[in-house]
Amino acid sequence: MRRYLARRLLLLVPVLAGVSVVIFMVLHLSPGDPVEIMLGSQATQEDRARLRAELGLDQPLHVQYGRWLGHVARGDLGRSLWMKRPVLDEVLGRFKATLVLTGTALLLSSLAGVALGVASATRPNSVLDRLSAVASLFGASMPTFWLGIVLMVIFALWLGWLPASGMYAAYGGGDLRDLLAHLVLPAVTLAAASVTIIARLTRATMLETLGQDYIRTARAKGVVERAVVLRHGLKNALIPIVTVVGVQAGYLLGGAVLTETVFAWPGVGTLMVQGILARDFPLVQGCVLVVALSFVLVNLAVDLLYAWLDPRIRYE
Amino acid sequence: MSVTTAWLALVALMIGPGMAVPAAPQPAGTLVVGLVAEPVNLDPAQVTDLNSNRVGRRIVETLATFPDESTQIVPGLAESWTVSKDGLRYTFKLRKGISFHDGTPLNAEAVKFSIERQINAEHPFNKLGKYPFANYFFGNVKAVEVVDPSTVEFVLKEPRASFLAILTAGAASIVSPTAVKKLGVDYALQPVGTGPFRYVAWDRGQRVVLERNAQYWKSPVKVERVIYRPIVEDQARLTELLTGALDLIVGTPPDFVAQLENNPKVTLLKQVGAHVWYLGINNQKKPFDDKRVRQALNYAVNKEAIVRDVLKGTGSMSAGPVLPGTWGADAGLKPYPYDPERARKLLADAGYPGGFTTSMWVPESGSGMQSPVAMATVMQSNLKAVGVNVTLQTFEWGAFIAKLRSKEQELFALSWMAGNEDPDMVMYPLLHSSQWTPGGPNRALYKSDTFDELLHQARLTTDQAKRAELYRQAQRILADDPPWIFVDHEIQTAVHSKRVQGFKLHPSFDLRVETISLK
C-alpha cells in the first residue's frame, strides 16, 4: 500500500510536467502578445521590444520554458507579468475560494445525486422516478451561466433572500454566516449539472445491484427493506458512483470558471480567465498547475477509496 | 439518518443563515462602487485600462487637471504655469503645504522623480514597472529640472502645444518618492499620492478599500470610505445595486438603460465622453484607396439605427474623430447621412457598380468598444444593401490587436479614448502618417500630406484659437476624404442609489467619487 502510494505520488511529476508543457505551448502559440496587451495601443515599437526583452519573451520557447521550469523546481512560480504580484501567493489565495465553492458543490451534488438515484431505483417508473428523469434532463442541458442568472434574479433580486455576488459582504461581514449566505447560489448553480449525472448513474447501478441474488437472499432472510437498499445495495453499487464523483470533482474545478464569473466569486477560475485574456503566461501556468495538481490528487483519493469500499481490491 | 433527511438538513443549513442575513445596509459614510473588472494595479503610470485608472486616480493627482464637469485644463497640484515663447519650456509653480499620504511633502523633486522614473532607463526606479505611456506622452521631454522646491520646469525636445493636456493624464501623476523607494515593485499595488483618498486594503478578486484623506487640499471629502467591487457579470452588478449592496455602478448594458431610467429606486446618469468608435478602413488597399469608395461606405451605414437600436441611446453619431462641442471641433461638420442610393452611385463612379467583397475584423469586446459585434452586424447588412459583401470575423481582444499589426486588415472596428479634449490627442496618433502601425496606432494606414502638415503646425502653435482653426481645417479634410466609417461617441452611463448625492459623470471617463456625499 505504502509503495503504491509512493509510486502514485511520484507519477505526479511527469503528469504535471506534461500538463505544463501543453499549457505553455498552447499559450505561446495562440495569437496575441502580452506586451501588446499590457502596453496598449499607444506604445511604440521600441517600447514593445524593450519590454519583450525585459520579460524574456524574445528568447526561443524552449529557453523560456526551461527558465520557468528552473524557477518552479525551486518553488518559485514567478511574478505575474500583468499584476506584478508573486504568482504563488495570488493563486493559493484564490484557490481557497475555489475549494470552498467546488467542495460545497461536490458535497451537494453527491448527496442529492445519490439520494435521487437511490429513490428512483427503488421505485422504478414511479412518479418520483419520472420527475427525476425530467429534472435530470433539464439540469444537464441548462447552461451554467443561465441557471446562475435565473437563480440570482429569483433569490436575490425578487425575493431578496440571498446576496447576489461575491464571497463576503463588501463592508466587513466576513464571518461564517456571511460566507454561507454568499455560497448558496453559486454552489447550487455549480452542482446542478453534476447532480443529474450522479443521480442517473446511481439509478442505473442500483437497479443492477438490486437485481442480484444476494439482495434476494437478504430479502428472503427478512432484512428490513431500508437495510437491503442501503447496506446491501448501495454499498455494493458505490464503486462506479465514487468513480463518477471523482470525475465530477475535476469537472467542477473546471466548471467553476463560469460560475465564479457570474457570481463574482474570487476564485482561481476568474483569475485564470483574466490571465488568459492578458496572456499572462506565469499566472496562467500557476493556475493550471494548481488545478491539475488537485485534480490528480482527487483521482488518487478515489483510487484509495476503492480499497476501503471493497476490501477485495488490493494495491501491490 | 436517511439520505433524504441528511439532504434536507444540508439544505436547511445552507439556506437558513442566508435568510437570517438580510442585505444589511452599508455603514453610514461608506460608498460601495461596482466596477466591470478588477483593477490590474493602482499606479496610473503603469496601467492602460479604465478600471485601474478609476481607482488609482483617487489616490494620485496631476499638475494640471480638469474641473468636475469638463475637460478644459485648470491648475491641479501646480497653482500656475508659464510657457516660454518658443514653446519649449513649461515652468510650474507648485501649491504650497500639500503632503503625500505618507506625510512627506509634495515638492519639485517629487515631480522630477515621478516623470523620470518612467522616461529615464538609467533611473534607479525605472525597472520597477512597465510604463506604457513613457514614450507616447513623455518621449518629447528632454529634462525635468528643479528650479526651487516649489518650482519645476519641463524642457521639451520640440514644441508640443498639447503638452498641458498630456500632463492631465494618469501617467503624469505625482507619486511620493519615499513610498516608491520603500515599496519597490509593490508600489503599484498600494500607491501613495496627494489625492482625496488613501489606499487601505485590497482583497484580491473581492474589493479595494480607500479611505478619506482628511487633509485633502482642494475641498473636504464627504465620504469616509470607498469600496470598489469587481463584478464582471452585468446582471449581478445590477442586482447588487437594486438590492442596495452597491451604491454606484458604471457600464450599464444598453438593454437595461430604459428599464433603469424608469426605476424609482435608482438614478441613471448619462454623459458623452472623449471617445470615438470607428470602423477603420485600410486606406492603402484596393478598392479603399479610392476616396469615393470610403465616402460610399460612410453613406451606406445607418448610424442613426445603430445608436438608437443597438446602443439604445448610449452613443451619439460621429462626424469625425473630434468630440463635438469641444474647443477643437468644427461645429459646421455634420455626420454623413444615411443615403444608400448615393453610396451605390459613388461605388459605380469608382468602378464598382456591382459592389465588391471584403472582410471586417471585430473584437468580441474591449474597453470602449461598446457592443462591437452587434454594431458590426448592422453595418454588415447596411453594406450588403449597397452591394458590398462583408465577411465578419470576430476575435478575442488580444488576438485582434496582434492581427491588426499585419496590415492585412480591410475593415476593422476600433475605438479610442483620449481622456481629454485636445484634438491632437486623437487625430495625431490615429491618423498622422508617422503613426502607421506597427510603429503607432494609425491602423487605417491613412496618409494625407496636407492633413499631416496641419497637425504638425498645430503642435507648434501655442495660441488655442489658432490651433482650433488648424484642427477645423484638418477635420474638413477628413470629412471629404474619410479614413474610417465614422460611427459614434460613447455616452457613458452610471446608475446610483438614492443615498448618493452630488455625483456627476466626467467626460474624461474618470469616476470622481470624491464629489459624492451620502444621505
Side-chain angles (χ1 to χ4, degrees):
Chain A
M1 181 70 184
R2 203 170 285 163
R3 273 186 54 197
Y4 172 79
L5 196 62
R7 203 172 61 227
R8 283 292 301 263
L9 287 175
L10 250 145
L11 265 174
L12 277 180
V13 178
V15 168
L16 291 179
V19 167
S20 77
V21 171
V22 170
I23 191 69
F24 188 87
M25 295 313 285
V26 167
L27 274 176
H28 282 263
L29 296 180
S30 65
D33 172 353
V35 168
E36 185 95 42
I37 297 167
M38 230 183 298
L39 291 186
S41 41
Q42 287 105 334
T44 61
Q45 193 85 305
E46 303 90 79
D47 287 337
R48 286 195 285 258
R50 206 187 51 207
L51 182 55
R52 200 164 286 129
E54 229 171 87
L55 299 174
L57 296 172
D58 54 346
Q59 303 284 326
L61 278 189
H62 64 275
V63 176
Q64 290 188 44
Y65 181 74
R67 188 181 296 167
W68 178 79
L69 204 63
H71 284 287
V72 171
R74 276 169 273 151
D76 172 17
L77 290 186
R79 258 186 191 256
S80 147
L81 299 184
W82 165 69
M83 292 185 300
K84 320 233 173 351
R85 286 193 272 270
V87 167
L88 192 64
D89 297 359
E90 190 68 18
V91 173
L92 288 184
R94 295 292 196 96
F95 191 62
K96 276 184 224 152
T98 298
L99 270 190
V100 170
L101 176 59
T102 47
T104 313
L106 190 65
L107 189 72
L108 216 58
S109 56
S110 313
L111 289 178
V114 171
L116 268 178
V118 170
S120 307
T122 47
R123 299 176 203 86
N125 299 321
S126 66
V127 177
L128 178 80
D129 186 25
R130 302 238 164 123
L131 270 181
S132 137
V134 171
S136 296
L137 190 68
F138 195 57
S141 46
M142 264 184 313
T144 308
F145 61 88
W146 183 83
L147 176 66
I149 288 174
V150 167
L151 290 178
M152 185 191 298
V153 167
I154 297 175
F155 291 99
L157 187 60
W158 293 350
L159 298 174
W161 288 358
L162 293 164
S165 72
M167 191 168 170
Y168 295 105
Y171 39 90
D175 55 5
L176 189 63
R177 286 185 137 212
D178 190 27
L179 172 64
L180 286 175
H182 281 83
L183 189 56
V184 178
L185 291 180
V188 170
T189 305
L190 185 56
S194 295
V195 170
T196 66
I197 291 166
I198 295 173
R200 294 325 282 167
L201 184 93
T202 306
R203 180 183 180 273
T205 348
M206 277 301 280
L207 276 178
E208 199 192 313
T209 316
L210 291 177
Q212 298 285 329
D213 288 347
Y214 60 82
I215 297 287
R216 201 174 31 187
T217 311
R219 282 191 178 130
K221 278 198 308 187
V223 177
V224 204
E225 184 61 15
R226 171 176 294 180
V228 171
V229 171
L230 295 182
R231 197 169 326 135
H232 297 264
L234 184 59
K235 192 157 183 212
N236 283 301
L238 269 182
I239 296 269
I241 297 175
V242 166
T243 310
V244 84
V245 167
V247 172
Q248 288 305 308
Y251 161 81
L252 290 176
L253 278 171
V257 174
L258 279 178
T259 312
E260 284 177 5
T261 306
V262 170
F263 290 100
W265 190 264
V268 84
T270 42
L271 186 69
M272 193 149 38
V273 171
Q274 289 171 329
I276 290 170
L277 292 180
R279 304 291 188 279
D280 192 333
F281 303 136
L283 183 68
V284 179
Q285 297 267 57
C287 292
V288 171
L289 217 56
V290 170
V291 172
L293 181 68
S294 46
F295 189 46
V296 175
L297 287 179
V298 166
N299 266 320
L300 178 59
V302 167
D303 285 350
L304 294 178
L305 215 60
Y306 290 156
W308 180 72
L309 286 172
D310 187 345
R312 288 171 302 181
I313 299 178
R314 281 282 164 268
Y315 302 106
E316 285 316 331
Chain B
M1 188 166 67
S2 77
V3 181
T4 332
T5 352
W7 161 238
L8 285 177
L10 191 82
V11 172
L13 182 76
M14 306 264 308
I15 297 206
M19 293 172 83
V21 184
Q26 287 94 328
T30 298
L31 176 81
V32 189
V33 181
L35 296 175
V36 294
E38 181 162 37
V40 174
N41 69 56
L42 301 180
D43 180 358
Q46 300 194 45
V47 289
T48 54
D49 69 300
L50 212 48
N51 294 296
S52 304
N53 268 294
R54 281 171 165 167
V55 181
R57 300 202 67 171
R58 311 279 67 75
I59 304 171
V60 288
E61 294 178 295
T62 47
L63 294 176
T65 185
F66 308 128
D68 287 335
E69 51 289 313
S70 80
T71 46
Q72 282 163 26
I73 296 167
V74 295
L77 291 178
E79 60 180 12
S80 65
W81 52 76
T82 53
V83 184
S84 68
K85 275 225 174 68
D86 57 8
L88 289 174
R89 284 177 177 270
Y90 284 70
T91 313
F92 295 88
K93 269 272 172 231
L94 302 181
R95 280 178 210 277
K96 294 217 172 72
I98 297 181
S99 296
F100 292 108
H101 302 148
D102 60 4
T104 57
L106 165 79
N107 54 27
E109 278 297 342
V111 176
K112 184 179 164 72
F113 181 95
S114 302
I115 306 300
E116 282 192 344
R117 69 173 177 141
Q118 301 179 51
I119 56 175
N120 178 359
E122 307 303 311
H123 194 275
F125 297 93
N126 180 264
K127 291 284 172 281
L128 292 185
K130 332 276 170 243
Y131 302 103
F133 302 106
N135 257 308
Y136 176 68
F137 284 157
F138 308 118
N140 187 33
V141 174
K142 193 152 91 188
V144 186
E145 289 168 1
V146 173
V147 179
D148 64 53
S150 61
T151 313
V152 65
E153 192 164 84
F154 286 76
V155 186
L156 305 187
K157 294 175 185 158
E158 56 184 54
R160 173 86 62 91
S162 55
F163 189 63
L164 282 173
I166 287 173
L167 289 185
T168 63
S173 300
I174 310 305
V175 303
S176 157
T178 318
V180 174
K181 288 172 192 166
K182 196 175 111 197
L183 295 166
V185 67
D186 288 334
Y187 171 81
L189 307 177
Q190 45 191 86
V192 176
T194 56
F197 291 93
R198 64 169 75 223
Y199 170 86
V200 176
W202 187 344
D203 300 322
R204 313 287 173 232
Q206 300 184 61
R207 55 178 199 164
V208 179
V209 184
L210 307 183
E211 192 179 77
R212 181 170 82 101
N213 170 10
Q215 272 86 47
Y216 189 50
W217 59 273
K218 200 188 280 178
S219 52
V221 181
K222 291 160 219 138
V223 174
E224 286 296 325
R225 284 202 304 172
V226 191
I227 297 174
Y228 294 93
R229 286 191 54 202
I231 304 176
V232 177
E233 172 56 44
D234 293 327
Q235 182 64 53
R237 215 162 50 246
L238 203 62
T239 303
E240 294 281 36
L241 178 82
L242 293 174
T243 54
L246 292 176
D247 296 305
L248 171 69
I249 61 171
V250 278
T252 327
D255 288 335
F256 290 124
V257 166
Q259 169 200 343
L260 288 167
E261 258 172 338
N262 301 318
N263 190 321
K265 284 160 85 177
V266 294
T267 307
L268 179 102
L269 303 175
K270 286 183 179 177
Q271 164 71 50
V272 67
H275 160 277
V276 61
W277 198 110
Y278 59 93
L279 194 82
I281 304 172
N282 186 335
N283 284 251
Q284 301 304 317
K285 246 190 182 177
K286 272 197 177 314
F288 308 112
D289 54 345
D290 187 328
K291 83 171 181 191
R292 287 170 298 187
V293 172
R294 282 176 276 126
Q295 288 173 339
L297 300 185
N298 270 285
Y299 282 119
V301 165
N302 190 348
K303 289 182 279 288
E304 205 176 343
I306 291 174
V307 164
R308 186 188 57 223
D309 301 329
V310 178
L311 299 175
K312 314 273 181 191
T314 60
S316 78
M317 285 194 282
S318 149
V322 181
L323 186 65
T326 55
W327 64 264
D330 184 358
L333 229 50
K334 293 279 168 287
Y336 269 83
Y338 173 52
D339 191 343
E341 207 40 61
R342 190 127 170 229
R344 269 189 287 267
K345 188 177 174 309
L346 279 162
L347 284 175
D349 290 351
Y352 301 94
F356 54 88
T357 301
T358 186
S359 67
M360 190 191 289
W361 295 352
V362 181
E364 282 150 4
S365 63
S367 187
M369 287 309 299
Q370 302 181 290
S371 310
V373 179
M375 292 163 81
T377 311
V378 173
M379 286 189 263
Q380 181 189 31
S381 74
N382 286 165
L383 292 174
K384 191 172 170 61
V386 299
V388 178
N389 284 305
V390 177
T391 332
L392 199 69
Q393 280 180 277
T394 62
F395 299 90
E396 178 270 332
W397 177 256
F400 177 70
I401 285 293
K403 200 144 166 64
L404 285 176
R405 258 195 288 161
S406 68
K407 300 193 186 182
E408 281 161 15
Q409 58 267 39
E410 291 176 343
L411 304 175
F412 58 98
L414 262 183
S415 67
W416 186 261
M417 277 187 216
N420 61 65
E421 63 188 34
D422 197 307
D424 180 63
M425 306 293 279
V426 50
M427 285 202 282
Y428 201 96
L430 292 184
L431 295 164
H432 193 276
S433 66
S434 67
Q435 302 294 314
W436 274 20
T437 195
N442 181 353
R443 298 186 171 90
L445 306 173
Y446 181 69
K447 181 173 168 50
S448 150
D449 294 334
T450 343
F451 176 84
D452 280 358
E453 184 51 27
L454 284 167
L455 254 53
H456 180 65
Q457 281 310 317
R459 280 195 157 183
L460 304 181
T461 311
T462 41
D463 182 76
Q464 188 162 303
K466 284 188 192 138
R467 281 182 76 203
E469 181 44 41
L470 294 168
Y471 287 130
R472 282 196 284 271
Q473 288 178 38
Q475 286 163 70
R476 288 196 282 270
I477 292 177
L478 297 182
D480 173 60
D481 178 26
W484 318 319
I485 300 178
F486 303 118
V487 182
D488 83 305
H489 305 285
E490 181 176 354
I491 295 178
Q492 44 173 337
T493 53
V495 195
H496 64 70
S497 63
K498 295 292 182 191
R499 73 194 278 261
V500 170
Q501 310 276 309
F503 178 69
K504 278 192 261 228
L505 276 166
H506 198 269
S508 69
F509 290 88
D510 195 8
L511 199 63
R512 298 192 162 185
V513 296
E514 56 271 31
T515 59
I516 292 179
S517 59
L518 291 170
K519 204 161 60 176

